[in-house]
Amino acid sequence: MGRVATYDVDAGEAGLRLDRWFRRRFPGLTHGRLQRLLREGQVRVDGKRAKANDRLEGGERVRVPPLPETPAAAPRARIAPGDEAWIQARVIHRDADVIAIDKPAGLAVQGGSRTTRHLDGLLDALRFGAPERPRLVHRLDKDTSGVLLLARGQAVAAHLTAAFRRHEVRKLYWAITVGVPRPHRGEIDLRLAKGGERVGPAAVGGQQAITRYAVAEAAGRRAAWVALMPLTGRTHQLRVHMAAIACPILGDGKYGGLDAFLAGLPEARRLHLHARALALPRPSGGEMRVVAPLPDHMAETWRFLGFESGGKDDPFAMFEELD
């Protein structure tokens, strides 16, 4: 690499420390060399000086000075035929610009030291003849199911990443909560901060986090089907916000503790949070909506609690009715 270059941070890289982002992009760059470039101000993020432990949010532009030649990246592991067919069967929308999949609960979006099977490792199976592998433009937690969007090319990825940053994408989640939120509809405005592996309310500082919610149906006082619309996109935002109003999401022991479980439910140990729908501006103009069906474990809970209207085709219309 012989000249200064600028790189866009993919939405799928959101949450990475800057030094880890460099390690992924430039595996031949030593930590000491990176630290020197940072001290000298040769690395810039959105035009500003940066530190190795700065967290990226996705959509930033990183200035990278000339670097020593780096070894070629190792070839990607071959995707097993069974996994290729499996991930292709999860596609719920495909056109020239985007692919939307119904991500199952339990599938991580990206790999880690103890995660060898993840969506990023399966993206080559979703080319469908395109010259580029699709790109992640947002993320879902490992245990959250539902709509996940992929861009079929750099230009589309940049357009959609910008749309997410400008809050032009409407995201709708369905959840079962333990307890019934009061009032039945409202807005939670609670700043959040990350500490270690957990996110929590921030008395001072933190990032602004806002969630709108509406109770669709209730099973007495024990549980409720709640529609959630995050107006910001913070890590674990919905889970922390619902626990903060004493109505944790069913199965979310991490943030709800023992209060997040209900005796007698067949699937009570699994997280009941589903990215039901996305509404977003198409790169070619107009709006597109993508809806994912409830996963089996949540559909079973819907039936058990008697929430018969859980199959509505237009969840946004339902939310607007409740608003």
Side-chain angles (χ1 to χ4, degrees):
M1 177 176 171
R3 58 186 178 84
V4 173
T6 302
Y7 291 81
D8 292 325
V9 178
D10 293 340
E13 297 170 320
L16 283 178
R17 285 169 45 123
L18 183 60
D19 54 357
R20 290 194 63 194
W21 182 87
F22 267 94
R23 191 152 54 242
R24 289 187 177 191
R25 296 277 187 131
F26 309 101
L29 180 65
T30 65
H31 181 72
R33 172 71 170 164
L34 174 59
Q35 290 285 9
R36 178 180 173 184
L37 294 173
L38 290 166
R39 287 196 304 270
E40 294 173 350
Q42 294 193 57
V43 172
R44 302 267 174 161
V45 178
D46 285 343
K48 300 177 182 178
R49 296 177 74 105
K51 298 179 182 178
N53 62 355
D54 286 348
R55 293 279 178 181
L56 299 169
E57 295 184 359
E60 297 99 330
R61 295 177 64 80
V62 181
R63 178 193 186 273
V64 179
L67 300 178
E69 291 296 325
T70 59
R76 299 184 188 277
R78 185 174 180 274
I79 300 173
D83 278 347
E84 181 174 3
W86 176 77
I87 195 63
Q88 288 179 357
R90 307 296 303 189
V91 173
I92 52 178
H93 175 87
R94 174 162 60 103
D95 60 33
D97 294 323
V98 301
I99 293 172
I101 68 165
D102 178 13
K103 188 192 85 65
L107 177 67
V109 172
Q110 292 183 305
S113 58
R114 290 177 292 179
T115 304
T116 57
R117 188 172 185 259
H118 48 83
L119 179 60
D120 188 58
L122 300 172
L123 291 180
D124 281 317
L126 298 173
R127 287 177 180 256
F128 296 106
E132 298 181 61
R133 72 198 307 253
R135 299 166 183 257
L136 292 161
V137 292
H138 68 124
R139 301 172 65 174
L140 292 177
D141 293 343
K142 178 179 178 180
D143 293 321
T144 300
S145 59
V147 181
L148 188 67
L149 201 65
L150 309 171
R152 306 187 76 184
Q154 175 59 42
V156 175
H159 170 88
L160 293 177
T161 298
F164 275 97
R165 293 189 73 187
R166 293 193 297 262
H167 307 294
E168 296 172 352
V169 179
R170 289 189 294 160
K171 297 175 284 186
L172 187 69
Y173 291 74
W174 282 2
I176 296 292
T177 61
V178 179
V180 182
R182 301 288 182 183
H184 278 188
R185 61 205 66 178
E187 185 173 286
I188 304 168
D189 187 346
L190 180 64
R191 301 182 74 87
L192 302 177
K194 189 170 184 179
E197 295 299 316
R198 291 173 58 87
V199 176
V204 178
Q207 294 180 308
Q208 185 180 39
I210 303 173
T211 301
R212 297 177 64 208
Y213 72 88
V215 175
E217 293 188 43
R221 297 182 180 179
R222 297 181 66 212
W225 160 25
V226 181
L228 300 165
M229 186 176 291
L231 304 186
T232 53
R234 309 305 178 200
T235 300
H236 295 174
Q237 173 178 322
L238 301 179
R239 297 166 65 180
V240 178
H241 274 180
M242 298 315 293
I245 64 169
C247 290
I249 295 173
L250 180 63
D252 188 12
K254 181 169 187 173
Y255 291 107
L258 294 177
D259 291 338
F261 303 102
L262 281 175
L265 288 181
E267 297 285 356
R269 307 301 298 184
R270 300 186 65 182
L271 183 68
H272 282 59
L273 180 61
H274 179 64
R276 174 64 168 164
L278 280 180
L280 63 146
R282 291 180 180 273
S284 56
E287 183 186 70
M288 67 175 291
R289 293 188 178 191
V290 185
V291 179
L294 285 171
D296 290 344
H297 74 282
M298 290 182 67
E300 173 63 23
T301 301
W302 249 249
R303 289 189 291 269
F304 187 90
L305 295 175
F307 296 156
E308 297 180 0
S309 56
K312 271 195 172 183
D313 293 330
D314 188 350
F316 284 102
M318 183 202 74
F319 196 91
E320 290 157 5
E321 290 168 8
L322 292 169
D323 194 13

